[in-house]
């Protein structure tokens, strides 16, 4: 699995980050996301911390679930 972090700026004070499979053509159902971060650094730090957690789970052989599978709502 090849995970990637994406950080996007919305408006003047709104940052969003998600983690998805680099080969996934649809960005609407990531494995993790955070919204309403106040800074780019805050969004990136949160995503990197979560990426480390997800990587550990993959190494253990755990299955990763997408947001839609857990919440029933696409991002």
């Amino acid at each position: 699995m090849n995970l990637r972090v994406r950080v996007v700026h919305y408006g003047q004070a709104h940052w969003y980050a998600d983690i998805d499979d680099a080969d996934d053509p649809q960005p609407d159902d990531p494995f993790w996301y955070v919204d309403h971060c106040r800074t780019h650094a805050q969004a990136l730090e949160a995503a990197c911390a979560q990426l480390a957690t997800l990587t550990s789970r993959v190494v253990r052989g755990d299955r990763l679930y997408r947001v839609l599978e857990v919440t029933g709502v696409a991002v």
Side-chain angles (χ1 to χ4, degrees), residues 31 34 37 49 58 74:
F31 291 105
V34 65
C37 293
V58 168

Side-chain angles (χ1 to χ4, degrees), residues 10-64:
Y10 290 105
Q12 293 178 345
H14 177 119
W15 290 88
Y16 166 92
D18 68 17
I19 298 174
D20 204 351
D21 184 343
D23 298 325
D24 184 5
Q26 297 295 326
D28 62 342
D29 192 16
F31 291 105
W32 173 89
Y33 77 97
V34 65
D35 203 359
H36 298 291
C37 293
R38 293 186 338 215
T39 66
H40 179 265
Q42 181 185 27
L44 189 56
E45 287 174 17
C48 288
Q50 187 62 33
L51 183 61
T53 300
L54 292 175
T55 300
S56 296
R57 290 177 54 203
V58 168
V59 169
R60 280 195 320 249
D62 295 349
R63 180 178 183 274
L64 299 183

